[in-house]
Amino acid sequence: MPKVVDHEQRRRELAEAVWRIVRRDGIDHASVRAVAAESGWSSGSLRHYFPTQDALLGFAMELAYRRFLARFEQIDSTLGNRELVRAIAHEVLALDDDRRVEAAVLLAFLPRAMVEPSLHELERYGTRRLYDEVARVFAAAHEAGELRAGVVPLKAARRFIALVDGLNIHHQLGPDELTADDLTEAVDHHLDTVFA
């Protein structure tokens, strides 16, 4: 009887091999050959799933976005708007090993996404989804009269995501100087300036 192959699982395994290489050696070392060696596959087998390096890197980036966007759906929807925004931030911030790896991988992809159109499109899609999710909550808070006077929900969402991204960058560069506790404290302080 022929073996049943879970192609999506294999693609995820390859993406996770990319993440390990990016985390350990940097994105410039995530070649098809290196990913094949890391995953224990031949380059030919890998190319069956990803014909180019950019296709492989794009899927690895997309999977990182999909993982944290999927976690949003697990957030308790009965939370108040402020707590909901806070919970979203906690899913994106590098507060544990898994989220630290995701953040590191996504940050490593950014310089390449600036020059590679397919990666740029993926980055914009993931970031827009994040903006939309946070803006939706800020809009609900605005409708409920929970925001400070003059706060514009869409602008507030973009500033909030910029804050979270900046916190992740500085945490990756100096985790002992900007700890996980510092990340959550900065988010809480910012929310104090947005919510009435």
Side-chain angles (χ1 to χ4, degrees):
M1 184 170 181
K3 183 179 177 184
V4 177
V5 176
D6 183 342
H7 295 290
E8 190 60 25
Q9 175 61 33
R10 286 195 166 187
R11 288 165 56 88
R12 282 193 302 271
E13 289 170 8
L14 291 170
E16 289 168 2
V18 171
W19 294 353
R20 289 191 299 274
I21 292 169
V22 167
R23 180 83 169 125
R24 184 181 63 234
D25 306 320
I27 195 167
D28 291 338
H29 294 277
S31 66
V32 169
R33 181 176 293 163
V35 173
E38 178 75 22
S39 64
W41 289 36
S42 70
S43 294
S45 296
L46 189 151
R47 287 189 190 281
H48 172 74
Y49 290 93
F50 300 105
T52 66
Q53 181 185 27
D54 286 332
L56 175 61
L57 295 178
F59 183 75
M61 185 178 185
E62 179 187 347
L63 185 60
Y65 276 118
R66 284 186 357 208
R67 282 176 61 162
F68 73 70
L69 290 170
R71 288 199 306 269
F72 291 173
E73 296 176 12
Q74 306 302 315
I75 295 172
D76 181 359
S77 61
T78 66
L79 292 172
N81 290 315
R82 180 191 169 113
E83 287 306 307
L84 199 50
V85 173
R86 187 176 192 267
I88 290 169
H90 284 211
E91 291 303 336
V92 179
L93 286 169
L95 298 178
D96 62 23
D97 286 340
D98 286 343
R99 288 176 282 183
R100 197 168 294 115
V101 168
E102 284 175 12
V105 166
L106 287 171
L107 291 170
F109 277 99
L110 291 181
R112 185 134 183 178
M114 290 180 183
V115 296
E116 169 50 48
S118 63
L119 294 180
H120 181 78
E121 187 178 317
L122 276 170
E123 186 283 326
R124 289 291 79 200
Y125 172 77
T127 298
R128 282 189 200 105
R129 290 278 311 273
L130 189 53
Y131 283 156
D132 291 348
E133 190 67 26
V134 175
R136 181 185 62 75
V137 180
F138 277 135
H142 180 72
E143 288 292 317
E146 298 170 358
L147 300 182
R148 292 186 182 270
V151 172
V152 177
L154 184 58
K155 287 183 178 181
R158 289 184 174 154
R159 289 178 185 143
F160 188 72
I161 297 309
L163 169 71
V164 170
D165 284 348
L167 290 170
N168 273 338
I169 289 168
H170 289 282
H171 177 68
Q172 295 285 341
L173 292 171
D176 295 332
E177 297 167 16
L178 190 68
T179 67
D181 287 342
D182 293 329
L183 301 182
T184 58
E185 183 182 332
V187 165
D188 290 342
H189 175 75
H190 181 75
L191 292 176
D192 286 342
T193 69
V194 175
F195 282 82

